[in-house]
């Protein structure tokens, strides 16, 4: 494949126009057909899986309301990926293959905006989940008084407003949105790493030194609470690890493209494939919930059994 290098202005309109050029995309129709099929399938699985998770979370009463709200927010974000971001990306690829450059331009523009917004919302929500788990450990009995549903709802709303405002700079300047995404990603990852590091250090310390301070009558209840907390932490951590695995290749490709000062056709293809991997996270999360959260798994089973019995 011929290596063509494309450089351009810094606003997203220029980038969108460049990605809708026959000179730039004319050699990759076969790859785009493959990506279209894969993302159509992932869009369906993300919609069905996260709809099922939202129903299951509504039925479950064992998870603390604030924690449940954060998981519901993440499931809604993944659902939006399936019904908004992926269809827009598919529309962009189809318009490229049919050389509908008028549709291509706007499909690419809106797909990039939706993708950036939803990805940052996911990062912020997972960061909030990690901080929520840390506060549950540090505050103890005061946790339910401090981490209220109202405060968590405000954080969730802010977790949507900030990415929408930040991603809106897509329409103004490429450097601004790149800086926003890098800062948001770095902040979320550092905060999450610090939170889980503190959690595991505290759990390790309590395991070594805390056993002698437990009153005999309350030892069984204390052990059960610790076991339940550990399970909740590991469940959240698995969701976090899944996201990092899916997001990391895309971040590497974007960093490489930025260092090039332009974009080769091979880099363009790498970006489109890693975008698919990034969207795969929204289809994987429902499976992670069912695998690691017993209450959600049971609620999903009951929902499916009821659905099949009705049908």
């Amino acid at each position: 494949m011929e290596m063509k290098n494309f450089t351009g202005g810094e606003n997203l309109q220029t980038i969108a126009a460049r990605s809708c050029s026959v000179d730039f995309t004319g050699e990759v129709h076969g790859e785009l057909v493959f990506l279209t099929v894969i993302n159509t399938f992932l869009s369906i699985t993300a919609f069905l899986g996260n709809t099922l998770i939202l129903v299951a979370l509504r039925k479950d009463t064992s998870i603390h309301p604030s924690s449940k709200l954060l998981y519901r927010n993440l499931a809604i974000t993944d659902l939006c990926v399936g019904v908004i971001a992926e269809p827009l990306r598919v529309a962009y690829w189809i318009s490229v293959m049919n050389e509908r450059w008028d549709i291509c331009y706007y499909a690419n523009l809106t797909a990039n905006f939706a993708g950036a917004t939803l990805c940052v919302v996911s990062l912020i929500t997972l960061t909030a989940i990690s901080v929520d788990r840390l506060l549950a450990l540090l505050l103890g009995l005061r946790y339910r008084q401090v981490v209220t549903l109202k405060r968590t709802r405000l954080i969730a709303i802010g977790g949507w407003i900030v990415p929408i405002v930040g991603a809106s700079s897509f329409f103004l300047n490429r450097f601004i949105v790149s800086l926003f995404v890098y800062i948001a990603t770095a902040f979320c990852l550092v905060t999450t790493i610090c939170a889980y590091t503190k959690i595991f250090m505290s759990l390790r310390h309590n395991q070594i030194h805390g056993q002698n301070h437990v009153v005999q009558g309350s030892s069984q209840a204390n052990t059960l609470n610790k076991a339940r907390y550990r399970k909740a932490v590991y469940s959240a951590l698995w969701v976090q690890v899944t996201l990092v695995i899916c997001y990391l290749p895309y971040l590497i490709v974007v960093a490489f493209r930025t260092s090039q000062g332009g974009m080769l056709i091979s880099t363009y293809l790498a970006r489109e494939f890693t975008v698919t991997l990034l969207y795969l996270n929204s289809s994987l999360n429902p499976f992670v919930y069912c695998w690691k959260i017993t209450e959600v798994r049971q609620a999903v089973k009951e929902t499916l059994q009821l659905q099949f019995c009705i049908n």
Side-chain angles (χ1 to χ4, degrees):
M1 181 181 296
E2 181 184 356
M3 293 294 191
K4 297 180 182 178
N5 191 30
F6 292 83
T7 59
E10 291 188 347
N11 58 57
L12 187 68
Q13 287 89 334
T14 303
I15 301 170
R18 193 167 67 245
S19 298
C20 293
S21 166
V22 66
D23 293 331
F24 190 66
T25 60
E27 303 177 19
V28 295
H29 283 194
E31 291 85 348
L32 295 184
V33 169
F34 174 77
L35 289 174
T36 298
V37 173
I38 293 296
N39 279 268
T40 300
F41 172 75
L42 291 179
S43 177
I44 296 171
T45 57
F47 169 74
L48 294 177
N50 287 287
T51 300
L52 191 58
I53 292 299
L54 287 171
V55 173
L57 287 172
R58 184 178 181 181
K59 290 182 177 181
D60 183 76
T61 58
S62 61
I63 303 175
H64 184 253
S66 296
S67 300
K68 184 193 292 188
L69 176 61
L70 293 175
Y71 277 112
R72 289 177 69 179
N73 191 52
L74 186 60
I76 290 172
T77 306
D78 290 332
L79 181 65
C80 288
V81 169
V83 299
I84 299 176
E86 286 184 290
L88 284 172
R89 205 75 194 173
V90 169
Y92 161 64
W93 290 327
I94 291 176
S95 65
V96 167
M97 290 182 287
N98 289 280
E99 298 187 3
R100 293 295 305 274
W101 306 123
D102 51 341
I103 299 175
C104 175
Y105 172 79
Y106 292 105
N108 189 29
L109 205 65
T110 53
N112 287 334
F113 173 76
T117 301
L118 294 172
C119 288
V120 176
V121 172
S122 295
L123 284 170
I124 292 175
T125 305
L126 279 172
T127 302
I129 290 173
S130 67
V131 173
D132 174 71
R133 293 298 83 208
L134 177 60
L135 291 175
L137 177 66
L138 297 180
L139 297 176
L141 296 176
R142 295 179 55 240
Y143 168 73
R144 292 180 180 271
Q145 298 175 347
V146 176
V147 184
T148 62
L149 189 60
K150 182 178 180 180
R151 290 173 178 172
T152 306
R153 189 176 289 115
L154 289 174
I155 292 173
I157 293 172
W160 279 89
I161 293 175
V162 172
I164 290 173
V165 172
S168 296
S169 60
F170 256 51
F171 302 99
L172 300 174
N173 190 284
R174 172 173 146 188
F175 174 76
I176 294 176
V177 74
S178 297
L179 186 63
F180 166 73
V181 171
Y182 291 149
I183 291 176
T185 302
F187 173 79
C188 290
L189 290 180
V190 169
T191 302
T192 300
I193 291 171
C194 290
Y196 282 117
T197 300
K198 176 64 177 177
I199 288 171
F200 287 114
M201 288 179 63
S202 298
L203 289 175
R204 180 64 176 170
H205 180 270
N206 291 338
Q207 184 179 5
I208 296 174
H209 301 286
Q211 294 173 346
N212 296 329
H213 300 286
V214 177
V215 180
Q216 180 66 28
S218 62
S219 60
Q220 184 176 2
N222 193 57
T223 301
L224 288 174
N225 287 336
K226 286 184 178 179
R228 185 173 181 177
Y229 176 78
R230 281 179 178 272
K231 189 174 182 181
V233 168
Y234 279 110
S235 299
L237 185 59
W238 269 103
V239 177
Q240 183 75 45
V241 169
T242 304
L243 179 139
V244 171
I245 292 174
C246 292
Y247 279 41
L248 188 59
Y250 176 79
L251 295 174
I252 293 173
V253 169
V254 170
F256 178 73
R257 185 189 65 182
T258 303
S259 67
Q260 282 184 320
M263 185 161 60
L264 303 170
I265 291 180
S266 57
T267 311
Y268 166 80
L269 272 180
R271 186 191 67 181
E272 300 305 310
F273 273 95
T274 53
V275 164
T276 298
L277 182 60
L278 186 147
Y279 290 156
L280 173 64
N281 179 249
S282 297
S283 296
L284 291 179
N285 277 340
F287 293 100
V288 178
Y289 299 148
C290 292
W291 175 36
K292 301 303 295 184
I293 306 177
T294 305
E295 297 84 359
V296 173
R297 181 169 64 248
Q298 185 60 35
V300 167
K301 286 182 180 179
E302 292 175 359
T303 302
L304 290 175
Q305 289 171 356
L306 180 63
Q307 184 66 29
F308 286 132
C309 287
I310 291 176
N311 294 335

